[in-house]
């Protein structure tokens, strides 16, 4: 069964340090999302890509967060500098295309859990 | 603003039936999703409703009433492995997914 790959699974860092997360979506999935999920809350969209283009990054704290998907395949999310409030699960998800027909469900990766000390 | 409301936590007994409710207020509606999320793991897709009525899939069923802005997820013959959080998400008029905070379901023997 095809999966969304994410790494690292766990990351512990000190505040003010830089951290990066990587995501490889299911092959052929043009649409890729980065979400942040704080314990006990639902996922919060950070950025949406369609191929290599950013579709929505309105909720991305651009002073410290950046995301890229240079070749329209895998993607990297970076935080620099990390703050205590960034401690959360960072989830990557993908789906086949931007079509709005039917369910066109998201498939999530296992996530990267970040702890900032 | 847009919001989705679900109970924070529910407890049920193994073998029983439980209904998890979700009410929503969004700008437009293009479908409602239920996802299951075990602790420390990624959400996995359970069901999708876009028309009013009940969708049944094995032990799980999902109901939608668009006029009431209401959905529920019904879990039958509960098993211990059903202990998880259940997330309700609505695709709004701009085809953006709006997520609820999730309902933590605790199953007791």
């Amino acid at each position: 069964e095809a999966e969304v790959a994410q790494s690292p699974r766990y990351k512990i860092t000190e505040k003010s340090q830089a951290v990066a997360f990587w995501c490889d979506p299911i092959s052929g999935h043009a649409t890729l999302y980065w979400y942040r999920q704080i314990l006990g809350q639902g996922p919060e969209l950070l950025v949406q890509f369609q191929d290599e283009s950013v579709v929505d990054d309105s909720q991305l704290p651009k002073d410290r967060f950046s995301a890229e998907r240079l070749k329209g395949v895998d993607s990297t999310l970076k935080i620099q500098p990390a703050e205590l409030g960034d401690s959360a699960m960072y989830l990557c998800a993908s789906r086949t295309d931007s079509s709005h027909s039917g369910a066109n469900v998201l498939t999530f990766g296992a996530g990267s859990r970040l702890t900032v000390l | 603003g847009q919001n989705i409301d679900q109970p924070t936590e529910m407890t049920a007994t193994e073998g029983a039936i439980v209904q998890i409710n979700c009410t929503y207020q969004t700008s437009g509606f293009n479908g409602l999703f239920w996802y299951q999320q075990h602790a420390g793991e990624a959400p996995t897709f359970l069901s999708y409703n876009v028309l009013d009525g009940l969708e049944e899939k094995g032990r799980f069923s999902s109901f939608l009433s668009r006029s009431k802005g209401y959905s529920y997820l019904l879990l039958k013959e509960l098993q211990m492995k059903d202990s998880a959080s259940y997330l309700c998400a609505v695709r709004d008029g701009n085809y953006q997914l709006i997520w609820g905070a999730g309902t933590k379901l605790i199953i007791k023997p």
Side-chain angles (χ1 to χ4, degrees), chain A residues 9 35 37 40-43 45 48 56 89 91 100 102-103 105-106 108-109, chain B residues 33 35 37 40-43 45 48 87 91 94-97 99-102:
Chain A
R9 283 296 309 275
Y35 283 93
Q37 187 177 26
Q41 299 184 18
L45 179 66
Q48 177 186 345
D56 183 356
M89 175 79 87
L91 293 164
H100 300 309
V105 302
L106 297 184
F108 285 86
Chain B
F33 299 80
Y35 278 77
Q37 186 176 27
E41 299 182 10
F45 170 74
Y48 169 71
L87 298 163
R91 193 159 60 190
N94 293 319
Y95 295 94
Q96 296 300 315
L97 269 181
W99 293 84

Side-chain angles (χ1 to χ4, degrees), chain A residues 1-6 23-27 29 92-94 107-110:
Chain A
E1 185 176 337
E3 294 183 344
V4 176
Q6 286 191 249
C23 171
D24 191 11
I26 293 173
S27 178
H29 279 199
C92 179
S94 69
T107 300
F108 285 86

